Amino acid sequence: MRRSGILLHPTSLLGRAGIGSIGKPARDFLQFLSDAGQQVWQMLPLVPTDDGGCPYNSTSALAANTRLIDLDDLCDDPYRLLSLEDLKYAPIPDHPERAEFKMAGDYKNELIQTAFARLVDSTDPIHRKLWQQFESFCEENADWLDDFALFDTLQAKQPEGPVWTTWPKGLRDRDPDALEAARDRFDDEIEWRKFAQFLFHRQWAALKARATELGIKIMGDVPIFVSHNSVDVWAHRDLFELDEKGFPGFVSGVPPDYFSPEGQLWGNPLYAWPRHAKTGYAWWISRLRAMNKLADIVRLDHFRGFEAFWRVASTEKTAINGEWVKGPGIEFFRAVKKALPNLEIIAEDLGIVTPAVEKLRKDADFPGMRVLEFGFPIDEPNDHHALHMHTPDSVVYCGTHDNDTICGWYDSLDEGMRDHVRRYLSIDGRDIAWQLMRAAESSVADLCILTVQDIFCYGTWARMNVPGVAKGNWTWRMVNTIPGWNADRLRELTALYGRLPVYNSPKA
């Protein structure tokens, strides 16, 4: 089935206090997708981030980013735990085109605590009904929510700092008495954090229901690794390669590649895959099951790491000196498919793709990714990213969140390479963003994903991420709504190459 979609993370939407939300801004974007004939909304991971906003280095693989909660919807819903009066002092960012993660977090957390206090103190029957829903949510999600809320609280309250390996031994090593004492001491702090997660999931359920009404599927993103300073590692130390004090001797990364001549030293702890195998990969299955509740499709990041991952000593300063170590392979995906037979997975198979990685993807029966910005090597005309080498079992991008925008990419090429691109596509390059998007839509790949930045024809300044660069990423925001004529233009392009829903219906 041929489909087309858009990549845009919700933090890049408009919204109060310098960040997008999953309220009206997200609903408006869903309507644009529908008007433009799109069937997929791809997002980055929806997990909590630090003040830098990186969604690939989270404190939890299962919790949600509560900065995305829409406060206006809390004023408008029947429970009215907030009023517009509460919101009138929202901070105004100095640079609206950049997300302000700390500003948004501080502002929204304060108002979420206000809303929770009102719910606790209320005797109104309608609020008691909401409280019962909250209690049910806590019970249904206790397997991850209890640990996350405690961990998040301890990060904020421990004088030793947020890193769990610096905490007193009892908390670091999860002594039951120490944990119970912490829960008693910080009960209120723990509860409002659970409530914040509850609010996110309520609003998300409404957003996803609207997407379903419009015939749009949500594509989520699951990073392969988790942060060392996360509740996942703290609560499941036996599933990671750590020493007796919780420190990793080896960490994750990738060797030198297109993005970085020194490789990328990610620094995440490595999985103790044999221990995962003994549990039937229960932790991973729980993680994917949770994502499947939020999304219809899952992009599995760094797929090649399941075949073999790059291991680097934690004392190294770059990722150059490392070695490939075998991953869990097909047995992992067999376990996932047995537990979650209806889960739709897309393999992010970029980077160093060996025949073994390609075999694993095909054995698992997952579509891979093709990126047109990689598809113009003069000396390798049969590179699998080149348009004429695409296959139906793939997802085509002009560029991903890790790439430059089309305009920025094209401007960065020397004239010889620009001439090669123009001759290959038989274009003049004067409207390069839409000309390359047209090429992507024409691909035989079953799914085509474009980015909002390219629809606007934005340059490098609107790039979402530069791999290997520690600061300044993830902050791009739309400061304007997308003009209606862009929806019409994109719908026409989508129709031209048979990607509209009507062309995939039983009557077509």
Side-chain angles (χ1 to χ4, degrees):
M1 181 176 69
R2 290 176 65 77
R3 296 177 291 179
S4 181
I6 302 290
L7 167 59
L8 176 73
H9 197 47
T11 58
S12 295
L13 293 165
L14 296 174
R16 288 184 183 268
I19 200 171
S21 79
I22 55 174
K24 186 177 184 300
R27 294 191 293 273
D28 288 347
F29 185 66
L30 280 174
Q31 189 60 55
F32 163 77
L33 291 173
S34 178
D35 294 343
Q38 305 304 293
Q39 298 182 67
V40 177
W41 179 1
Q42 181 180 343
M43 303 176 182
L44 305 182
L46 292 164
V47 291
T49 72
D50 61 16
D51 292 338
C54 177
Y56 294 92
N57 191 33
S58 178
T59 56
S60 174
L62 294 170
N65 185 354
T66 54
R67 287 182 171 104
L68 293 171
I69 290 171
D70 191 283
L71 299 178
D72 291 88
D73 277 8
L74 290 183
C75 299
D76 294 339
D77 73 19
Y79 303 104
R80 298 188 182 277
L81 293 173
L82 293 177
S83 68
L84 291 177
E85 182 72 15
D86 293 317
L87 309 188
K88 70 179 183 178
Y89 296 114
I92 300 175
D94 293 331
H95 304 284
E97 75 281 1
R98 295 294 170 190
E100 298 278 0
F101 295 100
K102 186 177 189 309
M103 174 189 292
D106 291 345
Y107 173 69
K108 292 191 177 186
N109 283 345
E110 182 177 349
L111 288 172
I112 290 170
Q113 290 177 69
T114 297
F116 183 61
R118 288 173 181 167
L119 178 64
V120 170
D121 293 340
S122 176
T123 58
D124 189 319
I126 194 172
H127 287 155
R128 292 302 91 197
K129 180 181 178 181
L130 184 64
W131 183 265
Q132 291 171 358
Q133 294 175 18
F134 170 53
E135 288 184 321
S136 296
F137 172 81
C138 292
E139 291 174 5
E140 292 168 5
N141 296 279
D143 58 329
W144 65 265
L145 184 61
D146 289 349
D147 277 329
F148 169 74
L150 175 60
F151 182 82
D152 199 44
T153 300
L154 290 174
Q155 284 197 305
K157 295 298 182 180
Q158 276 304 112
E160 291 81 7
V163 181
W164 64 269
T165 49
T166 67
W167 294 349
K169 188 175 184 300
L171 293 176
R172 184 195 72 188
D173 296 340
R174 294 178 56 84
D175 176 77
D177 292 336
L179 296 184
E180 189 61 32
R183 291 189 185 99
D184 290 341
R185 181 182 178 188
F186 299 120
D187 180 64
D188 291 342
E189 292 278 344
I190 291 169
E191 288 302 301
W192 81 254
R193 285 173 166 83
K194 291 183 180 180
F195 183 68
Q197 292 293 316
F198 167 69
L199 291 179
F200 175 93
H201 282 269
R202 282 186 72 243
Q203 292 191 351
W204 185 264
L207 181 68
K208 194 166 183 296
R210 178 57 178 157
T212 300
E213 288 176 3
L214 294 172
I216 295 166
K217 291 185 179 294
I218 303 294
M219 187 196 301
D221 193 318
V222 174
I224 183 174
F225 295 115
V226 297
S227 170
H228 176 251
N229 190 32
S230 68
V231 62
D232 310 285
V233 179
W234 177 63
H236 304 282
R237 281 169 62 172
D238 60 313
L239 297 179
F240 298 86
E241 296 289 356
L242 305 172
D243 65 21
E244 68 278 1
K245 293 184 178 179
F247 293 100
F250 293 89
V251 295
S252 66
V254 289
D257 61 7
Y258 173 90
F259 290 112
S260 174
E262 294 185 341
Q264 298 174 49
L265 187 61
W266 294 335
N268 309 86
L270 302 174
Y271 294 107
W273 281 116
R275 296 174 208 161
H276 282 268
K278 287 181 179 179
T279 70
Y281 303 100
W283 179 87
W284 261 100
I285 289 170
S286 294
R287 184 185 186 189
L288 292 171
R289 181 178 287 113
M291 175 52 68
N292 200 28
K293 292 179 181 178
L294 298 176
D296 306 288
I297 309 166
V298 170
R299 171 190 178 272
L300 197 56
D301 188 53
H302 196 57
F303 175 81
R304 73 102 55 243
F306 292 97
E307 193 283 320
F309 52 91
W310 189 247
R311 184 176 73 172
V312 184
S314 58
T315 54
E316 291 286 336
K317 302 300 182 184
T318 73
I320 294 175
N321 298 317
E323 62 177 343
W324 291 108
V325 179
K326 280 294 181 182
I330 193 61
E331 293 305 318
F332 169 74
F333 293 112
R334 286 173 179 161
V336 168
K337 288 196 169 191
K338 182 178 180 180
L340 303 168
N342 298 319
L343 178 62
E344 183 177 351
I345 292 177
I346 291 171
E348 187 273 282
D349 57 344
L350 306 179
I352 301 173
V353 179
T354 64
V357 175
E358 182 68 3
K359 182 179 185 303
L360 177 62
R361 183 186 68 79
K362 290 183 177 181
D363 288 347
D365 195 26
F366 298 150
M369 290 173 53
R370 304 292 178 262
V371 180
L372 287 187
E373 288 185 14
F374 297 155
F376 300 96
I378 295 175
D379 56 344
E380 293 184 49
N382 292 328
D383 183 273
H384 71 297
H385 290 290
L387 186 62
H388 65 277
M389 294 298 294
H390 292 184
T391 56
D393 64 332
S394 58
V395 183
V396 59
Y397 295 76
C398 295
T400 73
H401 66 274
D402 283 332
N403 293 99
D404 204 343
T405 64
I406 294 174
C407 290
W409 163 79
Y410 186 71
D411 288 345
S412 73
L413 302 177
D414 61 41
E415 182 52 36
M417 182 56 82
R418 284 198 291 266
D419 178 66
H420 175 67
V421 171
R422 292 192 296 264
R423 287 188 296 109
Y424 180 87
L425 295 177
S426 190
I427 60 174
D428 59 15
R430 294 178 183 177
D431 190 14
I432 187 61
W434 281 85
Q435 288 171 336
L436 199 66
M437 287 191 290
R438 175 183 288 268
E441 293 281 1
S442 76
S443 168
V444 298
D446 288 335
L447 176 59
C448 172
I449 298 291
L450 309 176
T451 71
V452 166
Q453 293 96 317
D454 292 331
I455 292 170
F456 278 112
C457 302
Y458 285 158
T460 296
W461 67 270
R463 184 172 181 167
M464 194 65 170
N465 180 49
V466 181
V469 175
K471 295 182 179 180
N473 295 315
W474 317 111
T475 63
W476 178 79
R477 292 180 71 208
M478 285 197 303
V479 294
N480 301 306
T481 56
I482 305 175
W485 64 265
N486 266 342
D488 294 340
R489 187 180 185 185
L490 183 54
R491 186 179 186 88
E492 180 182 6
L493 189 61
T494 305
L496 186 63
Y497 293 106
R499 295 185 184 275
L500 282 183
V502 64
Y503 295 145
N504 297 303
S505 68
K507 296 180 181 179

